[in-house]
Amino acid sequence: MSQPCRHYEVVSQLVEKAAIAMQLDPQVKELLREPMRTLTVSIPVKMDDHTVKVFKAFRCQHNNVLGPFKGGIRFHHQADEDEVKSLAALMTYKCALVGLPFGGAKGGVLCDPSQLSAGELERLSRGFVRAIAPIIGPDQDIPAPDMNTNAKIMGWFVDEFAQVRGVYQPGVVTGKPVALGGSQGRTEATGRGIMYVTREAATAFGLELKGATAAIQGFGNVGSYAAKFLYDEGCKIIAVTDIFGGVYDPTGIDPYQLKEHELKTGSVRGFTGTSPISSQELLALKCDILIPAALGNQLTAENAGDVKCEWVVEAANGPTTPEADEILQRKGILVIPDILANAGGVTVSYFEWVQNNYSYYWSEEEVDQRLEKVMADAFDEVYETYLSGEGTTLRVAAYMVALQRLAKAMEARGWVTT
Ligand code: GLU
């Protein structure tokens, strides 16, 4: 089951496929082959029992030809350098694909946040910012939330950065609390973006969203909002899992009530009127839309053959291995790739950064309208590229659009010889 770590190699393979299809300038490929910088840090934290514990963490800056590095920070007990590098690369392609003036970065702190007290979590978060402070800034590299990090932690990031640098610069981090210059709609943005892209795809590929069945793996920030917004569009959510278990109801689950249940009990398990379902069973459910919204590498060579959905909408980063991707393609399952499907989060992060730069703030309606346009335009561009290439996939098309933008910027900056 557990394969040797090869996350970065997997992203490189995806890029390679698109590069071949579009006959990408080899110099551009060469410049994107390795991240520009990966910083490894050790963060000493005073624990509640008065001992000192040192946590390992990384910030990988993949490429910044389009603008300052951008990407979230995840707190996870399996965070490692290879995974962080691959996620940073995905950010480079995601930002390029949706046309944001940002490069790609990612951070990972090796820790189990469920084992940390509130005080320990705050000291670790502040320690991480002190450690990476020399390489971040509103015009250099702008962190944001990712797995197990949230607006509260971003608030500590901004404050600690202000203490280190001696100036208060809210634009150094996005996904902040609204009280500190966070954007309206940022928390919901990834889930909302999933809905906008799914809606565009439904029109393009002729799927009636009203009554379409959806199964969602993961009920964190991304999965729970995706569930709510798709439910609002008329989708029937038939199954949801989290790390503790899952629930299944073929007649449909109300995700709003499920969230309330989860907040009360700590898990989706045991929600009224549902039967239990495992994560593996969920991935093999017959449904219209399967949404992996948890960890990477969930659809693999081992289980992709069992997948019975019509579409996979990748809300998580890297949920499908290349082997699984090929199996799904052979089975005629449409995959809406991560760099398109989940780009709503970083898009509203961009809006937040713009609002911080202007010190002028937008209403939630304004943010949502702009988000809808960015997601719809990105989908259209990918779809056109998809239609023009024979036998291609939406993933290859998405990478082609992204690489085109990166190549143009590299040419314009004189990074490659023409
Ligand atoms: N962590 C999110 C992602 O993977 C958002 C990153 C950001 O807002 O910078 O896209």
Side-chain angles (χ1 to χ4, degrees):
M1 183 56 209
S2 82
Q3 291 165 338
C5 255
R6 49 181 202 106
H7 304 275
Y8 191 74
E9 189 194 313
V10 164
V11 181
S12 305
Q13 280 175 26
L14 301 176
V15 172
E16 181 65 18
K17 260 192 179 174
I20 293 170
M22 67 194 284
Q23 294 174 319
L24 181 72
D25 181 344
Q27 302 173 96
V28 173
K29 218 171 72 181
E30 175 69 7
L31 284 168
L32 291 165
R33 200 161 53 81
E34 281 297 322
M36 293 172 109
R37 165 155 67 182
T38 306
L39 182 66
T40 305
V41 294
S42 298
I43 311 162
V45 176
K46 284 212 175 99
M47 306 302 279
D48 291 350
D49 66 3
H50 302 291
T51 61
V52 171
K53 213 170 152 184
V54 177
F55 293 86
K56 197 169 181 183
F58 311 94
R59 179 70 174 172
C60 173
Q61 300 177 328
H62 179 258
N63 186 276
N64 68 352
V65 71
L66 289 170
F69 297 105
K70 184 84 192 82
I73 308 282
R74 62 172 54 180
F75 284 6
H76 198 255
H77 64 282
Q78 281 171 338
D80 69 48
E81 186 175 345
D82 180 60
E83 185 198 43
V84 169
K85 276 170 66 177
S86 74
L87 294 165
L90 286 182
M91 290 307 301
T92 298
Y93 302 111
K94 195 185 299 184
C95 292
L97 168 62
V98 289
L100 306 180
F102 285 141
K106 199 76 159 203
V109 178
L110 190 54
C111 68
D112 182 353
S114 69
Q115 300 301 312
L116 298 173
S117 71
E120 289 166 348
L121 185 67
E122 177 171 352
R123 292 192 290 279
L124 175 60
S125 303
R126 288 183 182 274
F128 179 60
V129 169
R130 282 195 301 276
I132 64 164
I135 63 161
I136 63 169
D139 299 314
Q140 267 174 281
D141 181 356
I142 307 139
D146 196 78
M147 199 175 283
N148 296 326
T149 53
N150 53 26
K152 191 172 179 181
I153 294 176
M154 297 308 115
W156 294 328
F157 278 16
V158 171
D159 183 67
E160 195 62 32
F161 189 74
Q163 315 238 11
V164 173
R165 289 278 176 101
V167 260
Y168 176 61
Q169 292 176 298
V172 66
V173 170
T174 59
K176 301 176 290 289
V178 171
L180 293 181
S183 180
Q184 300 290 345
R186 173 62 186 87
T187 309
E188 303 86 343
T190 311
R192 205 186 278 278
I194 304 259
M195 179 272 286
Y196 287 140
V197 166
T198 308
R199 209 166 63 183
E200 293 299 313
T203 310
F205 291 96
L207 175 78
E208 179 62 66
L209 271 194
K210 241 185 190 51
T213 50
I216 303 177
Q217 184 200 38
F219 205 58
N221 182 258
V222 177
S224 64
Y225 280 112
K228 287 178 181 176
F229 292 121
L230 288 171
Y231 176 81
D232 293 345
E233 291 297 303
C235 284
K236 200 202 274 185
I237 314 295
I238 58 166
V240 174
T241 54
D242 62 21
I243 46 170
F244 303 106
V247 287
Y248 171 63
D249 180 355
T251 65
I253 297 166
D254 178 339
Y256 291 89
Q257 284 180 18
L258 183 63
K259 191 72 200 172
E260 275 175 29
H261 168 84
E262 189 231 30
L263 288 174
K264 248 187 268 155
T265 65
S267 167
V268 297
R269 272 184 317 184
F271 181 58
T272 326
T274 62
S275 45
I277 188 170
S278 72
S279 195
Q280 284 307 314
E281 286 165 342
L282 176 138
L283 296 176
L285 267 186
K286 188 164 170 41
C287 62
D288 294 308
I289 308 169
L290 175 65
I291 306 185
L295 280 167
N297 290 345
Q298 295 302 296
L299 293 167
T300 63
E302 282 84 54
N303 64 8
D306 302 330
V307 173
K308 291 184 242 352
C309 61
E310 299 292 323
W311 291 9
V312 173
V313 179
E314 294 185 336
N317 286 314
T320 313
T321 67
E323 297 81 15
D325 213 21
E326 275 170 25
I327 296 171
L328 297 178
Q329 193 186 358
R330 276 204 298 277
K331 291 178 74 147
I333 295 171
L334 187 80
V335 178
I336 304 187
D338 47 7
I339 58 170
L340 172 63
N342 73 27
V346 72
T347 300
V348 176
S349 273
Y350 165 60
F351 296 159
E352 180 171 328
W353 180 78
V354 169
Q355 292 171 78
N356 294 151
N357 284 344
Y358 272 88
S359 285
Y360 176 77
Y361 291 85
W362 308 341
S363 67
E364 185 158 359
E365 294 72 55
E366 212 167 336
V367 170
D368 292 346
Q369 269 171 22
R370 290 178 193 265
L371 173 63
E372 182 174 6
K373 175 151 175 34
V374 169
M375 299 305 288
D377 288 352
F379 177 84
D380 287 349
E381 235 177 312
V382 171
Y383 185 58
E384 263 169 46
T385 308
Y386 168 81
L387 290 180
S388 62
E390 217 164 284
T392 190
T393 61
L394 286 177
R395 192 188 311 280
V396 171
Y399 275 92
M400 284 168 74
V401 173
L403 286 167
Q404 201 69 53
R405 279 218 175 87
L406 289 160
K408 266 205 184 128
M410 283 181 184
E411 267 174 39
R413 287 181 70 164
W415 288 14
V416 293
T417 43
T418 46

